[in-house]
Amino acid sequence: MATRQAPFNPVPAMRTYPPAEHPVVVIGPVQYLAQYPVELDVNSDFKVSDINGTLIFQVKSKLLSPHDRRFLKDAAGNTLVNLRQKIRTMHGRWEAFRGESKEQSDLIFTAKKSKLFQFKTELDVFLGNNKGEVPDFKVKEGNSESSCSILLGDSNTMLAQVHGRHTLAIMPNVDYAFIVALVVVILNGDNADGHGDAATTSLNVLNGVVEGLGSAA
């Protein structure tokens, strides 16, 4: 008696994202590019380490009126970028400047909510010399509120992903210092109105963006 075979059950296709065709350099010239995928871990004190536990970056905060400022430093304590949240802006704008400068000539990028009202969080990121309306990068919330993707422009070219509120997976040839600076904006939304010394008191990634950036409107 012949046995009937179970019908073929196709496995759903996995969506893939194409890598960037060219190196993405924003902060470093080349020192923050790796030819391989980079995985970094962010702890509750906003110290950023690699998979071996080696300190790569650290973030210090300075809560001043009228601006809340964050300083992205390398492992030796040198300031790479300072970020500040602009007050009284409808889209909750953050600005990132080179070193400890506040001069517009040293503006590296700005980040703001894509829309004033949105169900899933999206951020538009513009480089300092971009005076147009098309962003250079986008941050998009993933399937859960604790994950997001960082994409090249308004495309599906993946640069990095944030997983589980604390793990960064960064594609090869992508400026990982820039990605960490963006994550500073994302994570600090959670306590943008706080008064602690730590760069972030909890890692509620995208809920923090909505609450923190919304409070700047």
Side-chain angles (χ1 to χ4, degrees), residues 5-28:
Q5 292 184 342
F8 174 69
N9 186 24
V11 176
M14 179 178 66
R15 182 172 183 178
T16 58
Y17 294 88
E21 293 183 4
H22 305 287
V24 177
V25 179
V26 177
I27 292 177

Side-chain angles (χ1 to χ4, degrees), residues 61-193:
S61 61
K62 184 181 294 184
L63 302 181
L64 298 173
S65 179
H67 297 295
D68 179 7
R69 297 180 70 194
R70 308 296 184 191
F71 298 84
L72 175 63
K73 298 175 177 286
D74 64 16
N78 302 305
T79 301
L80 304 175
V81 179
N82 79 90
L83 303 104
R84 63 177 184 173
Q85 184 182 25
K86 297 195 70 175
I87 62 173
R88 301 187 184 91
T89 58
M90 295 298 291
H91 288 261
R93 184 184 302 269
W94 282 75
E95 295 181 328
F97 296 86
R98 196 167 303 280
E100 299 193 14
S101 174
K102 301 178 185 178
E103 301 297 327
Q104 285 298 309
S105 59
D106 290 317
L107 178 66
I108 301 174
F109 69 83
T110 62
K112 66 183 183 66
K113 289 192 298 183
S114 301
K115 299 176 182 177
L116 186 58
F117 301 104
Q118 50 192 19
F119 294 102
K120 276 201 168 187
T121 298
E122 290 189 15
L123 301 180
D124 289 343
V125 182
F126 297 83
L127 293 176
N129 59 0
N130 184 351
K131 306 304 180 184
E133 298 182 358
V134 179
D136 296 287
F137 309 96
K138 287 189 77 76
V139 178
K140 291 188 176 183
E141 181 179 337
N143 293 328
S144 70
E145 293 177 342
S146 63
S147 68
C148 65
S149 298
I150 299 172
L151 306 173
L152 181 64
D154 200 9
S155 73
N156 65 345
T157 299
M158 177 71 66
L159 301 183
Q161 290 184 307
V162 181
H163 298 291
R165 299 185 174 93
H166 61 84
T167 300
L168 315 182
I170 304 167
M171 298 292 284
N173 291 316
V174 173
D175 186 335
Y176 53 87
F178 166 61
I179 297 300
V180 172
L182 268 184
V183 171
V184 171
V185 174
I186 296 169
L187 297 184
N188 275 287
D190 182 62
N191 71 325
D193 296 322

Side-chain angles (χ1 to χ4, degrees), residues 35-73:
Q35 303 298 314
Y36 49 85
V38 172
E39 185 173 307
L40 299 175
D41 182 78
V42 184
N43 71 10
S44 58
D45 291 326
F46 221 124
K47 292 181 178 179
V48 183
S49 304
D50 67 7
I51 58 176
N52 295 322
T54 302
L55 180 67
I56 305 297
F57 301 110
Q58 51 191 322
V59 176
K60 302 296 182 181
S61 61
K62 184 181 294 184
L63 302 181
L64 298 173
S65 179
H67 297 295
D68 179 7
R69 297 180 70 194
R70 308 296 184 191
F71 298 84
L72 175 63
K73 298 175 177 286

